[in-house]
Amino acid sequence: MYVMTTATAPLPASTPAPVWARRAAHAIALCAVPSGLWRIAMASGVYVGYSDQVLRDVFDIPGWGVAYVVGLSVLTELAALFPLLLVSDRWRPLHPRVLTPLAWTASGVLVLVALWQLVVAFTVESQTYMSSGTAQTVWGLAFAPLFAIPALMTAVTWSYAKRHWARGQVQLLPRP
């Protein structure tokens, strides 16, 4: 005999995510692709602006640096797929009371990481290893889309929290 409890009861159907939120969630996943491809090219031996000596000494490529760089690309793309959970109508692995604070935390971390990356990108040390010119331009174009992710993630999170708050499942903003 099956007994339904609050733990096993299905979640009521939620309001579908707005089209703009769905597009923003998909854009987040796409924003991570250029930098991932750039890293994979670097790990594969394609010239991306670093000398062979810098690749060996600083990035340990060839060597363990290849696994690190490819792994970082894979993890970045997997993390960029997280917002799709916030707009999915079919698959809900976490209850909105759990997913909403997790999404707000992710949004805050992304803002901090973006600010940190701006500091790193404009320091003298980070620019001394890469040759100037075309390679630096390609690097900038590959990593520039990452700076759109914090704003997009915050918008998608706001939409998700607002939809579930209207149904009484979560608070709109996390408590301090």
Side-chain angles (χ1 to χ4, degrees), residues 91-156:
W91 190 60
R92 294 187 194 138
L94 298 172
H95 193 280
R97 281 189 214 129
V98 175
L99 193 54
T100 302
L102 184 63
W104 281 120
T105 302
S107 293
V109 167
L110 286 169
V111 168
L112 293 175
V113 167
L115 292 173
W116 175 249
Q117 288 303 310
L118 282 174
V119 170
V120 169
F122 292 109
T123 61
V124 175
E125 183 178 338
S126 70
Q127 294 187 10
T128 57
Y129 295 126
M130 184 174 283
S131 63
S132 60
T134 306
Q136 219 165 18
T137 302
V138 170
W139 173 83
L141 291 173
F143 282 84
L146 292 178
F147 291 103
I149 291 176
L152 291 169
M153 180 65 186
T154 301
V156 171

Side-chain angles (χ1 to χ4, degrees), residues 68-81:
Y68 170 74
V69 169
V70 171
L72 182 61
S73 296
V74 170
L75 285 174
T76 301
E77 192 58 44
L78 286 174
L81 295 174

